Amino acid sequence: MYLLNSLAISISMYSKIPVPNVEWNEKNMKYAMCFFPVVGAVIGIIQFLIGGVLLMYTDCGSLFFAVVMALIPVVITGGIHLDGYADTTDALSSYGEKEKKLEILKDPHTGAFAVIGLCVYFLADAALWSEVTAEMLPVVSCMYVISRSLSGISVVSFQAAKNSGLLKTFQDGAQRLRVRSVLIFWLCACAALMIFLSWQQAVGALLTAAAVFIYYYKMSMKQFGGTTGDLAGYFLQVCELAMLAGILIGGLAGGAVML
């Protein structure tokens, strides 16, 4: 029963999907992070279904398709990770000391650089989606599980930048070794599925995900002295954008080889 409670906690925290309310106690929190990729699986399935209908059964333009696909994750998650992306963009743009950057992460106000960063993000996301074909959708749908697996791994593996906050709560409540093992299983299983679907697109996606993960670790340690919930959300958003670009590059490379 406590695993179902952990699932409910994870889904309620990281999405707008309705689930029963459960108590956030130590027992229920132990394995909550194990189910973080489930939200990604839901997003991927919905993206695949709606994207397939739009591309194969309608005459919609590429811009309409791109905007719909870019907004689906926002609708499902409620933008929780975009909030982290915006706060982190603000903090990094301050070029202040670690303490100053951490203060900006806690500031409820949205700065100019956060707004600019979000505009750039959605423009880039829509531009990339406008180039996605029906053949790429199965691999693209897998990337939401990959990004959440890596983000969850960072939560239970990286040093926390501060001794309070939501990330620290999940760290303290989690069975780290078991949670990390489950998340690695999610990662490997989804990576194998991507390779099975299209190894060229998978290579592009996995290489870019690995590069962003390394950047995230080095940046968080150097700029903030560790990771936070906002930084984990920032990574997730950047990782998905980079993976989408990697899939497109892998798809183009695969097409060129076939020609």
Side-chain angles (χ1 to χ4, degrees):
M1 184 64 182
Y2 68 91
L3 288 178
L4 292 177
N5 290 338
S6 295
L7 172 62
I9 288 175
S10 186
I11 292 176
S12 65
M13 180 64 211
Y14 295 111
S15 77
K16 290 293 184 179
I17 301 170
V19 293
N21 291 324
V22 298
E23 183 181 356
W24 284 42
N25 56 38
E26 182 180 352
K27 187 175 182 179
N28 292 337
M29 291 286 291
K30 282 183 180 180
Y31 301 107
M33 192 57 64
C34 292
F35 299 100
F36 187 23
V38 172
V39 178
V42 173
I43 295 172
I45 291 170
I46 293 176
Q47 291 271 35
F48 176 76
L49 295 175
I50 294 180
V53 169
L54 290 176
L55 288 176
M56 294 186 286
Y57 301 105
T58 73
D59 295 323
C60 71
S62 60
L63 178 59
F64 180 84
F65 167 77
V67 171
V68 170
M69 301 307 282
L71 291 180
I72 287 174
V74 183
V75 173
I76 296 174
T77 64
I80 183 172
H81 308 299
L82 283 169
D83 177 70
Y85 172 85
D87 289 344
T88 303
T89 301
D90 249 350
L92 290 173
S93 300
S94 71
Y95 295 100
E97 299 297 325
K98 292 178 182 177
E99 293 74 17
K100 176 65 175 178
K101 292 188 178 76
L102 290 172
E103 287 179 11
I104 293 174
L105 291 182
K106 293 190 296 183
D107 191 341
H109 300 92
T110 301
F113 289 107
V115 176
I116 294 170
L118 287 171
C119 290
V120 171
Y121 184 91
F122 279 113
L123 282 172
D125 197 27
L128 291 171
W129 269 111
S130 68
E131 300 298 323
V132 171
T133 64
E135 291 73 22
M136 296 177 182
L137 277 178
V139 177
V140 173
S141 299
C142 295
M143 73 182 189
Y144 299 98
V145 174
I146 297 286
S147 63
R148 281 159 179 77
S149 298
L150 290 172
S151 182
I153 289 170
S154 76
V155 168
V156 296
S157 302
F158 293 1
Q159 173 183 318
K162 50 188 181 181
N163 293 321
S164 61
L166 188 59
L167 180 137
K168 186 64 175 176
T169 300
F170 271 96
Q171 282 188 337
D172 292 341
Q175 290 283 343
R176 294 198 187 190
L177 180 60
R178 293 180 182 177
V179 170
R180 188 184 301 116
S181 298
V182 171
L183 290 171
I184 290 174
F185 174 80
W186 274 104
L187 176 65
C188 293
C190 203
L193 177 59
M194 293 176 82
I195 292 171
F196 172 77
L197 293 169
S198 171
W199 72 266
Q200 296 98 334
Q201 295 172 34
V203 167
L206 296 174
L207 286 178
T208 52
V212 174
F213 190 75
I214 293 170
Y215 155 75
Y216 163 45
Y217 174 76
K218 292 184 176 180
M219 178 274 290
S220 62
M221 295 300 121
K222 180 179 179 180
Q223 300 291 339
F224 298 91
T227 190
T228 69
D230 284 327
L231 291 174
Y234 171 84
F235 159 75
L236 188 147
Q237 295 294 158
V238 175
C239 183
E240 289 177 358
L241 193 67
M243 289 179 75
L244 189 56
I247 291 169
L248 288 171
I249 294 171
L252 291 173
V257 170
M258 291 180 67
L259 291 175

